[in-house]
mmCIF file of all heavy atoms in Angstrom:
data_model
loop_
_atom_site.group_PDB
_atom_site.id
_atom_site.type_symbol
_atom_site.label_atom_id
_atom_site.label_comp_id
_atom_site.label_asym_id
_atom_site.label_seq_id
_atom_site.Cartn_x
_atom_site.Cartn_y
_atom_site.Cartn_z
ATOM 1 N N ASP A 32 36.532 -54.838 0.592
ATOM 2 C CA ASP A 32 35.927 -53.621 1.132
ATOM 3 C C ASP A 32 34.675 -53.301 0.316
ATOM 4 O O ASP A 32 33.566 -53.217 0.828
ATOM 5 C CB ASP A 32 36.944 -52.461 1.170
ATOM 6 C CG ASP A 32 37.738 -52.290 -0.129
ATOM 7 O OD1 ASP A 32 37.522 -53.067 -1.095
ATOM 8 O OD2 ASP A 32 38.573 -51.380 -0.196
ATOM 9 N N SER A 33 34.880 -53.164 -1.005
ATOM 10 C CA SER A 33 33.763 -52.892 -1.910
ATOM 11 C C SER A 33 34.149 -53.482 -3.266
ATOM 12 O O SER A 33 35.289 -53.313 -3.701
ATOM 13 C CB SER A 33 33.572 -51.376 -2.013
ATOM 14 O OG SER A 33 33.144 -50.994 -3.303
ATOM 15 N N THR A 34 33.229 -54.171 -3.906
ATOM 16 C CA THR A 34 33.580 -54.763 -5.208
ATOM 17 C C THR A 34 33.891 -53.653 -6.221
ATOM 18 O O THR A 34 34.734 -53.837 -7.098
ATOM 19 C CB THR A 34 32.445 -55.665 -5.736
ATOM 20 O OG1 THR A 34 31.221 -54.930 -5.740
ATOM 21 C CG2 THR A 34 32.298 -56.920 -4.894
ATOM 22 N N ASN A 35 33.216 -52.499 -6.092
ATOM 23 C CA ASN A 35 33.531 -51.387 -7.001
ATOM 24 C C ASN A 35 34.970 -50.911 -6.788
ATOM 25 O O ASN A 35 35.721 -50.697 -7.749
ATOM 26 C CB ASN A 35 32.590 -50.199 -6.744
ATOM 27 C CG ASN A 35 31.343 -50.240 -7.593
ATOM 28 O OD1 ASN A 35 30.826 -51.312 -7.887
ATOM 29 N ND2 ASN A 35 30.829 -49.083 -7.976
ATOM 30 N N THR A 36 35.351 -50.765 -5.511
ATOM 31 C CA THR A 36 36.694 -50.263 -5.203
ATOM 32 C C THR A 36 37.755 -51.269 -5.659
ATOM 33 O O THR A 36 38.768 -50.899 -6.250
ATOM 34 C CB THR A 36 36.821 -50.018 -3.679
ATOM 35 O OG1 THR A 36 35.743 -49.177 -3.294
ATOM 36 C CG2 THR A 36 38.127 -49.375 -3.312
ATOM 37 N N GLN A 57 30.965 -57.549 1.863
ATOM 38 C CA GLN A 57 31.725 -56.307 1.714
ATOM 39 C C GLN A 57 31.838 -55.645 3.085
ATOM 40 O O GLN A 57 30.869 -55.588 3.830
ATOM 41 C CB GLN A 57 31.012 -55.336 0.775
ATOM 42 C CG GLN A 57 30.807 -55.865 -0.641
ATOM 43 C CD GLN A 57 30.182 -54.809 -1.541
ATOM 44 O OE1 GLN A 57 30.790 -54.363 -2.488
ATOM 45 N NE2 GLN A 57 28.949 -54.415 -1.245
ATOM 46 N N ALA A 59 32.944 -52.447 3.316
ATOM 47 C CA ALA A 59 32.680 -51.015 3.127
ATOM 48 C C ALA A 59 31.879 -50.831 1.833
ATOM 49 O O ALA A 59 32.286 -50.092 0.929
ATOM 50 C CB ALA A 59 33.987 -50.229 3.078
ATOM 51 N N GLY A 60 30.734 -51.528 1.759
ATOM 52 C CA GLY A 60 29.873 -51.435 0.572
ATOM 53 C C GLY A 60 29.393 -50.000 0.388
ATOM 54 O O GLY A 60 28.997 -49.352 1.348
ATOM 55 N N LYS A 61 29.465 -49.529 -0.852
ATOM 56 C CA LYS A 61 29.120 -48.124 -1.127
ATOM 57 C C LYS A 61 27.774 -48.027 -1.822
ATOM 58 O O LYS A 61 27.497 -48.756 -2.768
ATOM 59 C CB LYS A 61 30.167 -47.502 -2.060
ATOM 60 C CG LYS A 61 31.569 -47.439 -1.485
ATOM 61 C CD LYS A 61 32.489 -46.650 -2.385
ATOM 62 C CE LYS A 61 32.807 -47.398 -3.675
ATOM 63 N NZ LYS A 61 33.801 -46.719 -4.518
ATOM 64 N N GLY A 62 26.955 -47.088 -1.358
ATOM 65 C CA GLY A 62 25.704 -46.789 -2.042
ATOM 66 C C GLY A 62 25.833 -45.475 -2.799
ATOM 67 O O GLY A 62 26.907 -44.861 -2.801
ATOM 68 N N ARG A 63 24.748 -45.047 -3.412
ATOM 69 C CA ARG A 63 24.778 -43.756 -4.106
ATOM 70 C C ARG A 63 24.761 -42.636 -3.078
ATOM 71 O O ARG A 63 24.367 -42.832 -1.942
ATOM 72 C CB ARG A 63 23.569 -43.638 -5.031
ATOM 73 C CG ARG A 63 23.647 -44.622 -6.190
ATOM 74 C CD ARG A 63 22.363 -44.643 -6.965
ATOM 75 N NE ARG A 63 22.203 -43.431 -7.748
ATOM 76 C CZ ARG A 63 21.022 -42.974 -8.182
ATOM 77 N NH1 ARG A 63 19.926 -43.597 -7.902
ATOM 78 N NH2 ARG A 63 20.960 -41.874 -8.906
ATOM 79 N N ARG A 64 25.153 -41.472 -3.536
ATOM 80 C CA ARG A 64 25.155 -40.257 -2.704
ATOM 81 C C ARG A 64 25.892 -40.449 -1.380
ATOM 82 O O ARG A 64 25.434 -40.012 -0.330
ATOM 83 C CB ARG A 64 23.723 -39.793 -2.427
ATOM 84 C CG ARG A 64 22.970 -39.495 -3.702
ATOM 85 C CD ARG A 64 21.516 -39.226 -3.477
ATOM 86 N NE ARG A 64 20.795 -39.395 -4.730
ATOM 87 C CZ ARG A 64 20.708 -38.480 -5.684
ATOM 88 N NH1 ARG A 64 21.270 -37.310 -5.512
ATOM 89 N NH2 ARG A 64 20.058 -38.728 -6.793
ATOM 90 N N ARG A 66 26.213 -42.886 0.546
ATOM 91 C CA ARG A 66 25.650 -43.753 1.594
ATOM 92 C C ARG A 66 26.424 -45.070 1.656
ATOM 93 O O ARG A 66 27.201 -45.382 0.775
ATOM 94 C CB ARG A 66 24.188 -44.073 1.280
ATOM 95 C CG ARG A 66 23.317 -42.843 1.275
ATOM 96 C CD ARG A 66 21.848 -43.249 1.298
ATOM 97 N NE ARG A 66 21.022 -42.105 1.002
ATOM 98 C CZ ARG A 66 20.438 -41.859 -0.185
ATOM 99 N NH1 ARG A 66 20.596 -42.715 -1.181
ATOM 100 N NH2 ARG A 66 19.711 -40.784 -0.369
ATOM 101 N N THR A 67 26.196 -45.828 2.735
ATOM 102 C CA THR A 67 26.799 -47.165 2.772
ATOM 103 C C THR A 67 25.759 -48.171 2.291
ATOM 104 O O THR A 67 24.561 -47.903 2.326
ATOM 105 C CB THR A 67 27.239 -47.558 4.201
ATOM 106 O OG1 THR A 67 26.120 -47.392 5.057
ATOM 107 C CG2 THR A 67 28.389 -46.726 4.696
ATOM 108 N N TRP A 68 26.252 -49.302 1.841
ATOM 109 C CA TRP A 68 25.356 -50.377 1.389
ATOM 110 C C TRP A 68 25.569 -51.553 2.322
ATOM 111 O O TRP A 68 26.661 -52.123 2.378
ATOM 112 C CB TRP A 68 25.676 -50.760 -0.061
ATOM 113 C CG TRP A 68 24.733 -51.772 -0.641
ATOM 114 C CD1 TRP A 68 24.979 -53.096 -0.813
ATOM 115 C CD2 TRP A 68 23.408 -51.537 -1.123
ATOM 116 N NE1 TRP A 68 23.883 -53.702 -1.370
ATOM 117 C CE2 TRP A 68 22.895 -52.767 -1.577
ATOM 118 C CE3 TRP A 68 22.589 -50.402 -1.220
ATOM 119 C CZ2 TRP A 68 21.618 -52.901 -2.110
ATOM 120 C CZ3 TRP A 68 21.315 -50.541 -1.751
ATOM 121 C CH2 TRP A 68 20.841 -51.778 -2.192
ATOM 122 N N SER A 70 26.072 -54.951 3.674
ATOM 123 C CA SER A 70 26.607 -56.057 2.855
ATOM 124 C C SER A 70 26.962 -57.261 3.704
ATOM 125 O O SER A 70 28.113 -57.633 3.853
ATOM 126 C CB SER A 70 27.850 -55.580 2.100
ATOM 127 O OG SER A 70 27.579 -54.420 1.357
ATOM 128 N N ILE A 76 23.854 -60.666 -3.411
ATOM 129 C CA ILE A 76 24.756 -60.444 -4.546
ATOM 130 C C ILE A 76 25.426 -59.075 -4.400
ATOM 131 O O ILE A 76 24.741 -58.064 -4.225
ATOM 132 C CB ILE A 76 23.970 -60.510 -5.874
ATOM 133 C CG1 ILE A 76 23.440 -61.932 -6.088
ATOM 134 C CG2 ILE A 76 24.850 -60.067 -7.044
ATOM 135 C CD1 ILE A 76 22.545 -62.090 -7.304
ATOM 136 N N TYR A 77 26.740 -59.102 -4.428
ATOM 137 C CA TYR A 77 27.548 -57.888 -4.495
ATOM 138 C C TYR A 77 28.449 -58.093 -5.707
ATOM 139 O O TYR A 77 29.346 -58.946 -5.672
ATOM 140 C CB TYR A 77 28.384 -57.685 -3.228
ATOM 141 C CG TYR A 77 27.582 -57.886 -1.957
ATOM 142 C CD1 TYR A 77 27.816 -58.973 -1.113
ATOM 143 C CD2 TYR A 77 26.552 -57.002 -1.630
ATOM 144 C CE1 TYR A 77 27.061 -59.175 0.029
ATOM 145 C CE2 TYR A 77 25.788 -57.193 -0.488
ATOM 146 C CZ TYR A 77 26.043 -58.290 0.330
ATOM 147 O OH TYR A 77 25.286 -58.493 1.452
ATOM 148 N N MET A 78 28.194 -57.353 -6.752
ATOM 149 C CA MET A 78 28.875 -57.663 -8.012
ATOM 150 C C MET A 78 29.187 -56.366 -8.759
ATOM 151 O O MET A 78 28.369 -55.444 -8.764
ATOM 152 C CB MET A 78 27.921 -58.533 -8.830
ATOM 153 C CG MET A 78 28.200 -58.615 -10.298
ATOM 154 S SD MET A 78 27.216 -59.930 -11.057
ATOM 155 C CE MET A 78 25.765 -59.035 -11.556
ATOM 156 N N SER A 79 30.355 -56.304 -9.372
ATOM 157 C CA SER A 79 30.703 -55.132 -10.186
ATOM 158 C C SER A 79 31.263 -55.609 -11.512
ATOM 159 O O SER A 79 31.957 -56.625 -11.576
ATOM 160 C CB SER A 79 31.759 -54.280 -9.473
ATOM 161 O OG SER A 79 31.285 -53.861 -8.215
ATOM 162 N N ASN A 120 17.240 -46.405 -11.527
ATOM 163 C CA ASN A 120 17.901 -47.713 -11.472
ATOM 164 C C ASN A 120 17.721 -48.497 -10.187
ATOM 165 O O ASN A 120 18.539 -49.353 -9.882
ATOM 166 C CB ASN A 120 19.393 -47.543 -11.760
ATOM 167 C CG ASN A 120 20.030 -46.538 -10.818
ATOM 168 O OD1 ASN A 120 19.348 -45.985 -9.977
ATOM 169 N ND2 ASN A 120 21.299 -46.314 -10.950
ATOM 170 N N ASP A 121 16.691 -48.221 -9.427
ATOM 171 C CA ASP A 121 16.436 -49.088 -8.272
ATOM 172 C C ASP A 121 15.451 -50.172 -8.679
ATOM 173 O O ASP A 121 14.473 -49.887 -9.376
ATOM 174 C CB ASP A 121 15.778 -48.304 -7.127
ATOM 175 C CG ASP A 121 16.766 -47.407 -6.391
ATOM 176 O OD1 ASP A 121 17.975 -47.495 -6.652
ATOM 177 O OD2 ASP A 121 16.293 -46.617 -5.546
ATOM 178 N N LYS A 128 12.845 -51.358 -1.634
ATOM 179 C CA LYS A 128 14.022 -51.498 -2.491
ATOM 180 C C LYS A 128 14.646 -52.889 -2.359
ATOM 181 O O LYS A 128 14.941 -53.352 -1.265
ATOM 182 C CB LYS A 128 15.036 -50.423 -2.114
ATOM 183 C CG LYS A 128 16.278 -50.421 -2.944
ATOM 184 C CD LYS A 128 16.881 -49.042 -2.983
ATOM 185 C CE LYS A 128 18.336 -49.060 -3.384
ATOM 186 N NZ LYS A 128 18.869 -47.707 -3.528
ATOM 187 N N CYS A 130 17.176 -53.825 -4.893
ATOM 188 C CA CYS A 130 18.475 -53.823 -5.576
ATOM 189 C C CYS A 130 18.870 -52.395 -5.902
ATOM 190 O O CYS A 130 18.028 -51.582 -6.298
ATOM 191 C CB CYS A 130 18.314 -54.636 -6.866
ATOM 192 S SG CYS A 130 19.674 -54.576 -8.024
ATOM 193 N N GLY A 131 20.157 -52.082 -5.686
ATOM 194 C CA GLY A 131 20.662 -50.759 -6.025
ATOM 195 C C GLY A 131 21.868 -50.876 -6.948
ATOM 196 O O GLY A 131 22.561 -51.906 -6.948
ATOM 197 N N ILE A 132 22.098 -49.837 -7.709
ATOM 198 C CA ILE A 132 23.191 -49.851 -8.685
ATOM 199 C C ILE A 132 24.018 -48.580 -8.520
ATOM 200 O O ILE A 132 23.463 -47.486 -8.406
ATOM 201 C CB ILE A 132 22.622 -49.938 -10.117
ATOM 202 C CG1 ILE A 132 21.901 -51.283 -10.292
ATOM 203 C CG2 ILE A 132 23.724 -49.794 -11.166
ATOM 204 C CD1 ILE A 132 21.107 -51.402 -11.572
ATOM 205 N N LEU A 133 25.329 -48.753 -8.481
ATOM 206 C CA LEU A 133 26.235 -47.610 -8.346
ATOM 207 C C LEU A 133 27.224 -47.646 -9.507
ATOM 208 O O LEU A 133 28.008 -48.580 -9.633
ATOM 209 C CB LEU A 133 27.002 -47.695 -7.014
ATOM 210 C CG LEU A 133 28.081 -46.648 -6.795
ATOM 211 C CD1 LEU A 133 27.471 -45.255 -6.643
ATOM 212 C CD2 LEU A 133 28.925 -46.984 -5.565
ATOM 213 N N GLU A 135 30.353 -45.877 -11.528
ATOM 214 C CA GLU A 135 31.466 -44.937 -11.367
ATOM 215 C C GLU A 135 32.274 -44.929 -12.664
ATOM 216 O O GLU A 135 32.460 -45.966 -13.295
ATOM 217 C CB GLU A 135 32.344 -45.363 -10.187
ATOM 218 C CG GLU A 135 31.564 -45.372 -8.876
ATOM 219 C CD GLU A 135 32.421 -45.742 -7.668
ATOM 220 O OE1 GLU A 135 33.005 -44.837 -7.071
ATOM 221 O OE2 GLU A 135 32.507 -46.941 -7.355
ATOM 222 N N ILE A 148 30.146 -50.697 -13.096
ATOM 223 C CA ILE A 148 28.760 -50.750 -12.635
ATOM 224 C C ILE A 148 28.680 -51.773 -11.512
ATOM 225 O O ILE A 148 28.965 -52.957 -11.718
ATOM 226 C CB ILE A 148 27.790 -51.156 -13.760
ATOM 227 C CG1 ILE A 148 27.961 -50.227 -14.962
ATOM 228 C CG2 ILE A 148 26.347 -51.106 -13.256
ATOM 229 C CD1 ILE A 148 27.016 -50.551 -16.102
ATOM 230 N N GLY A 149 28.308 -51.309 -10.338
ATOM 231 C CA GLY A 149 28.190 -52.203 -9.180
ATOM 232 C C GLY A 149 26.732 -52.429 -8.850
ATOM 233 O O GLY A 149 25.933 -51.489 -8.850
ATOM 234 N N LEU A 150 26.407 -53.679 -8.569
ATOM 235 C CA LEU A 150 25.010 -54.026 -8.290
ATOM 236 C C LEU A 150 24.924 -54.778 -6.967
ATOM 237 O O LEU A 150 25.656 -55.742 -6.738
ATOM 238 C CB LEU A 150 24.498 -54.873 -9.455
ATOM 239 C CG LEU A 150 23.102 -55.478 -9.353
ATOM 240 C CD1 LEU A 150 22.416 -55.378 -10.704
ATOM 241 C CD2 LEU A 150 23.159 -56.926 -8.928
ATOM 242 N N GLY A 151 24.063 -54.308 -6.111
ATOM 243 C CA GLY A 151 23.800 -54.993 -4.844
ATOM 244 C C GLY A 151 22.354 -55.461 -4.853
ATOM 245 O O GLY A 151 21.448 -54.650 -5.017
ATOM 246 N N LEU A 152 22.153 -56.769 -4.719
ATOM 247 C CA LEU A 152 20.800 -57.336 -4.790
ATOM 248 C C LEU A 152 20.550 -58.163 -3.531
ATOM 249 O O LEU A 152 21.304 -59.094 -3.233
ATOM 250 C CB LEU A 152 20.683 -58.186 -6.059
ATOM 251 C CG LEU A 152 19.441 -59.038 -6.271
ATOM 252 C CD1 LEU A 152 18.172 -58.207 -6.273
ATOM 253 C CD2 LEU A 152 19.547 -59.781 -7.596
HETATM 254 C C1 LIG B 313 22.421 -47.562 -4.186
HETATM 255 O O1 LIG B 313 22.678 -46.762 -3.283
HETATM 256 O O2 LIG B 313 21.259 -47.767 -4.538
HETATM 257 C C2 LIG B 313 23.536 -48.272 -4.894
HETATM 258 C C3 LIG B 313 24.011 -49.482 -4.148
HETATM 259 C C4 LIG B 313 25.090 -50.246 -4.865
HETATM 260 C C5 LIG B 313 25.640 -51.376 -4.039
HETATM 261 C C6 LIG B 313 26.567 -52.249 -4.822
HETATM 262 S S1 LIG B 313 27.028 -53.704 -3.937
HETATM 263 C C7 LIG B 313 28.233 -54.073 -5.133
HETATM 264 C C8 LIG B 313 28.899 -52.760 -5.514
HETATM 265 N N1 LIG B 313 29.979 -52.453 -4.599
HETATM 266 C C9 LIG B 313 29.713 -51.400 -3.824
HETATM 267 O O3 LIG B 313 30.453 -50.948 -2.939
HETATM 268 N N2 LIG B 313 28.522 -50.877 -4.157
HETATM 269 C C10 LIG B 313 27.897 -51.621 -5.242
#
Side-chain angles (χ1 to χ4, degrees):
D32 47 0
S33 146
T34 53
N35 269 34
T36 307
Q57 299 184 116
K61 297 188 289 186
R63 292 171 72 202
R64 301 172 199 278
R66 297 194 192 102
T67 53
W68 185 257
S70 306
I76 294 175
Y77 313 111
M78 161 168 92
S79 302
N120 55 0
D121 285 352
K128 182 153 160 175
C130 170
I132 295 171
L133 174 67
E135 299 182 89
I148 306 181
L150 174 140
L152 172 58

